[in-house]
Amino acid sequence: MHTTQDKEDLHISYISALCASAGISYDTQRHDQDSTDGIIKKRITFLDGIFYDSALRIQLKCTSSSSQYEDKGEYISYKLKVKNYNDLCAPSTIPIILGLLILPEDEKEWVKWSTEELLIRGCMYWADFSTQQRSDNSGTITVRIEKANIINQETLLDILEKIAKEEWP
């Protein structure tokens, strides 16, 4: 049985590979009292030659357990610790999103390797809670993550560009 640590390594590898393939810097945070697992950064240059250094914080989660999430068709409901949720709702000068990697239930399907490729099976979705109210729940809160909010190279670049243009959220 895989441990939480194995899943943490997989979601870091997943986001790191996406960032690397898009020319985006990903820095892992060693101490994340504010629910920041990593910082995604890129210098965004606009057509007029002006550039902005854009940054996004990310709280990473990973699950393969149907007891933690439910696919509702157009969205996923996920049980998130209230502490993490409240951190994601807190005002910040550097925006933060939740990144949820959903892996297959069968652990043998998580990673496939051959001499031709290294494949992580699963999909990472994102959600922004910066405009939401903090929760008074104890323990967990069930959050809604739109399935259209897939994390890939294009969406990461789009989010960073919106931040640079001060159009986020």
Side-chain angles (χ1 to χ4, degrees), residues 10 13-14 17 101 103 109-112 118-123:
L10 278 173
S13 298
Y14 189 99
L101 176 60
L103 298 170
E109 295 296 315
W110 291 359
V111 177
K112 295 291 183 179
L118 175 62
L119 177 69
I120 300 174
R121 294 188 185 261
C123 187

Side-chain angles (χ1 to χ4, degrees), residues 20-92:
S21 69
I24 298 170
S25 171
Y26 179 75
D27 298 321
T28 303
Q29 299 298 287
R30 290 182 44 210
H31 306 288
D32 68 323
Q33 293 88 358
D34 62 351
S35 297
T36 301
D37 290 318
I39 298 178
I40 298 165
K41 302 183 295 188
K42 182 164 181 65
R43 178 165 283 179
I44 305 292
T45 305
F46 295 106
L47 294 176
D48 59 6
I50 296 176
F51 64 85
Y52 294 88
D53 292 327
S54 188
L56 173 69
R57 297 164 36 229
I58 190 165
Q59 165 72 62
L60 294 170
K61 295 293 180 188
C62 181
T63 188
S64 61
S65 172
S66 57
S67 67
Q68 287 188 304
Y69 81 97
E70 189 175 345
D71 187 333
K72 300 281 194 172
E74 292 187 21
Y75 69 93
I76 293 163
S77 64
Y78 176 70
K79 293 178 185 175
L80 181 64
K81 290 180 183 173
V82 170
K83 188 261 189 239
N84 295 132
Y85 176 79
N86 287 338
D87 286 346
L88 293 166
C89 293
S92 177

Side-chain angles (χ1 to χ4, degrees), residues 74-75 125-126 145-151 155:
E74 292 187 21
Y75 69 93
Y125 303 92
W126 66 270
I145 303 168
E146 299 297 324
K147 285 177 69 179
N149 292 350
I150 294 171
I151 292 183
T155 57

